[in-house]
């Protein structure tokens, strides 16, 4: 049988379009090559402009977790108090990371599928003095988008704490701005809504974050130290650690695509298409795990219909055979559903193919649905866009 093309519909890495692949396939040059230096400088400049950051932007080789570590390492020191706002698995990741750094960690935990609210944050900040607050914009284990702008407002109105936002599953697909929103550090990585292969950790630091870094002197960490990288981000002809040249070219192409689409339209597209895929899945009995109004535009957790008899492992295996790679659920949702990304540079063909494969997988797993029911909702929505 002819092998079906695999669509990477897990919540990252996301499908990489041809023009970005081409950049990764280019012949690698020296990191001091003047053309590459100019490309790298342009990438840093674009990141600052597009995310409205009057501070600094950093791009280093690493995954999203490295970016989380880099964020905390540069704005907090042993003995300080941090409030971790966690909506699930990746929110919790900050706990261990901050404890290892010697911070005193308090955690606000939302029920799975729900979000910490600005009111929760304000109430906790009124109880105790914190130097740092962390929040995960889109929680990849639940498909919940936290109200980041409002949480930032609450943090700055009630305290002098700095706010770190984990934008790994959001940045480039959901609106985030550094200065206007009052985000002190935003971190993300290349393989999600940027649609680049894994390997780049990216971070924006506003003025207040840079001022805090300056008070810390020599920090224990080396690779993630802002002070080591800042000269390179200001002038990429300088050296500290070898830059991932081809991935930086790929990021440049990703930013070009974003500018061509327009960030506003890109965010609107994610919102429209995320809601459409959710509606399509609901039409065949799946439940979106994230409670409204916290549904993320970038990815969703779809819980299997009650009484459908669908076996989780079998379903995801069949779905993969039908050409769609999805992810299993984590924590409270483990075994009860699957996770699907709908972010980045995916087009209508991809969305239609993905939902079509879900319909076939349902049928093959013995859950009898009316063929075309989910697809019909999606198709009509796309046609009316
Ligand atoms: C919200 C969030 N934060 C952090 C991470 C960690 O990123 P990485 O796997 O690239 O280290 C992930 C990974 O999926 C994530 O979804």
């Amino acid at each position: 049988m002819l092998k079906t093309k695999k669509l990477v519909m897990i919540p990252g890495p996301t499908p990489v379009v041809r023009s970005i692949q081409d950049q990764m396939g280019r012949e690698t040059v020296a990191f001091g090559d003047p053309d590459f230096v100019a490309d790298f400088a342009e990438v840093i400049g674009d990141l600052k402009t597009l995310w409205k950051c009057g501070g600094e932007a950093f791009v280093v080789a690493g995954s999203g977790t490295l970016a989380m570590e880099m964020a905390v390492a540069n704005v907090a020191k042993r003995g300080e108090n941090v409030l971790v706002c966690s909506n699930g698995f990746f929110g919790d990741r900050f706990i261990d990371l901050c404890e290892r750094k010697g911070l005193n960690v308090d955690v606000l935990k939302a029920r799975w599928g729900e979000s910490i609210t600005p009111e929760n944050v304000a109430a906790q900040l009124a109880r105790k003095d914190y130097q740092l607050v962390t929040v995960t914009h889109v929680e990849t284990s639940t498909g919940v988008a936290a109200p980041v702008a409002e949480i930032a407002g609450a943090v700055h109105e009630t305290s002098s704490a700095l706010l770190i936002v984990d934008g790994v599953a959001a940045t480039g697909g959901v609106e985030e701005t550094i200065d206007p929103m009052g985000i002190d550090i935003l971190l993300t990585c290349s393989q999600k809504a940027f649609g680049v292969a894994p390997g780049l950790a990216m971070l924006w630091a506003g003025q207040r974050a840079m001022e805090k870094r300056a008070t810390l002197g020599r920090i224990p960490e080396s690779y993630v130290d802002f002070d080591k990288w800042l000269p390179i981000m200001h002038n990429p002809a300088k050296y500290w650690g070898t830059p991932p040249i081809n991935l930086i070219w790929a990021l440049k192409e990703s930013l070009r695509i974003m500018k061509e689409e327009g960030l506003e339209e890109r965010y609107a597209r994610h919102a429209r298409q995320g809601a459409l895929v959710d509606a399509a899945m609901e039409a065949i009995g799946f439940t979106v795990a994230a409670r409204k109004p916290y549904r993320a535009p970038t990815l969703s957790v779809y819980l299997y219909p009650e009484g459908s008899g669908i076996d989780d492992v079998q379903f995801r295996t069949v779905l993969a055979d039908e050409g769609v790679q999805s992810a299993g659920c984590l924590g409270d949702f483990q075994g009860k559903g699957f996770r699907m990304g709908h972010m980045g540079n995916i087009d209508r063909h991809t969305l239609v193919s993905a939902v079509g494969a879900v319909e076939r997988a349902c049928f093959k797993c013995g859950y009898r649905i009316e063929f075309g029911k989910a697809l019909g909702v999606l198709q009509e929505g796309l046609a009316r866009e």
Side-chain angles (χ1 to χ4, degrees):
M1 200 165 138
L2 184 70
K3 249 188 155 178
T4 308
K5 186 178 170 205
K6 278 185 189 158
L7 293 178
V8 203
M9 300 302 288
I10 61 174
T14 59
V16 179
V17 297
R18 182 78 255 166
S19 67
I20 293 180
Q21 289 179 38
D22 286 346
Q23 293 300 317
M24 297 191 297
R26 278 174 67 182
E27 190 169 342
T28 305
V29 298
F31 53 80
D33 181 292
D35 290 340
F36 170 69
V37 168
D39 288 339
F40 197 171
E42 188 180 319
V43 162
I44 298 297
D46 277 350
L47 289 175
K48 286 206 249 184
T49 309
L50 292 171
W51 275 268
K52 301 191 167 71
C53 177
E56 304 290 346
F58 298 83
V59 177
V60 302
S63 79
T65 309
L66 185 95
M68 293 170 75
E69 192 132 36
M70 189 165 184
V72 174
N74 283 281
V75 293
K77 65 170 188 285
R78 179 169 289 278
E80 289 188 335
N81 298 333
V82 55
L83 179 63
V84 171
C85 303
S86 176
N87 289 336
F89 183 87
F90 288 102
D92 286 353
R93 184 166 283 201
F94 274 113
I95 300 171
D96 175 61
L97 205 147
C98 290
E99 282 175 354
R100 283 163 185 255
K101 176 85 187 153
L103 306 182
N104 307 315
V105 183
D106 290 330
V107 189
L108 285 177
K109 271 186 197 269
R111 281 179 44 197
W112 277 54
E114 311 236 355
S115 178
I116 294 297
T117 64
E119 292 75 24
N120 301 147
V121 176
Q124 185 59 29
L125 291 176
R127 276 184 214 117
K128 189 169 160 182
D129 198 21
Y130 289 94
Q131 285 73 50
L132 189 62
V133 176
T134 70
V135 64
T136 308
H137 194 170
V138 169
E139 172 52 62
T140 316
S141 60
T142 63
V144 161
V148 159
E150 293 78 3
I151 288 176
V155 169
H156 299 313
E157 270 160 37
T158 52
S159 79
S160 58
L162 293 177
L163 176 66
I164 292 179
V165 174
D166 173 348
V168 165
T171 312
V174 193
E175 186 177 15
E176 291 163 335
T177 53
I178 309 305
D179 298 340
M181 271 190 192
I183 297 175
D184 295 299
I185 294 205
L186 173 66
L187 65 99
T188 192
C189 50
S190 48
Q191 76 271 20
K192 307 267 185 183
F194 279 79
V196 172
L200 291 178
M202 291 138 73
L203 198 143
W204 294 256
Q207 301 284 6
R208 281 177 9 116
M210 294 310 294
E211 282 161 21
K212 179 71 190 276
R213 172 66 195 86
T215 67
L216 297 178
R218 186 171 185 261
I219 61 170
E221 299 81 0
S222 168
Y223 183 74
V224 294
D225 186 355
F226 282 177
D227 278 2
K228 300 280 190 200
W229 289 108
L230 202 56
I232 288 81
M233 300 303 136
H234 287 172
N235 176 9
K238 293 189 176 159
Y239 169 79
W240 157 242
T242 306
I245 295 165
N246 291 63
L247 282 174
I248 288 167
W249 277 331
L251 178 58
K252 183 176 173 230
E253 173 59 11
S254 161
L255 289 165
R256 189 201 63 73
I257 292 170
M258 286 186 188
K259 286 188 285 184
E260 187 176 76
E261 183 177 14
L263 273 188
E264 253 176 54
E265 168 50 23
R266 191 173 178 89
Y267 299 145
R269 168 172 64 84
H270 278 80
R272 285 194 308 271
Q273 296 189 350
L276 265 180
V277 179
D278 285 355
M281 295 296 295
E282 285 175 328
I284 52 171
F286 285 76
T287 302
V288 180
R291 198 170 65 76
K292 276 184 182 162
Y294 299 121
R295 290 182 177 180
T298 46
L299 70 104
S300 300
V301 172
Y302 297 119
L303 303 176
Y304 301 124
E306 291 266 328
S308 63
I310 290 179
D311 172 77
D312 174 43
V313 175
Q314 186 201 8
F315 180 81
R316 285 185 292 111
T317 308
V318 173
L319 187 57
D321 288 344
E322 291 299 325
V324 167
Q325 295 180 316
S326 66
C329 285
L330 303 166
D332 285 11
F333 297 141
Q334 196 166 14
K336 298 180 187 159
F338 72 103
R339 294 182 297 143
M340 192 159 100
H342 32 73
M343 67 180 134
N345 297 320
I346 52 173
D347 62 13
R348 292 153 170 245
H349 292 303
T350 311
L351 293 177
V352 169
S353 296
V355 171
V358 167
E359 288 194 345
R360 297 195 297 281
C362 286
F363 180 85
K364 286 192 167 175
C365 290
Y367 174 49
R368 299 298 153 160
I369 53 153
E370 190 187 316
F371 275 114
K373 207 166 173 193
L375 270 176
V377 170
L378 179 65
Q379 293 275 55
E380 184 173 346
L382 290 174
R384 287 184 188 280
E385 262 187 1

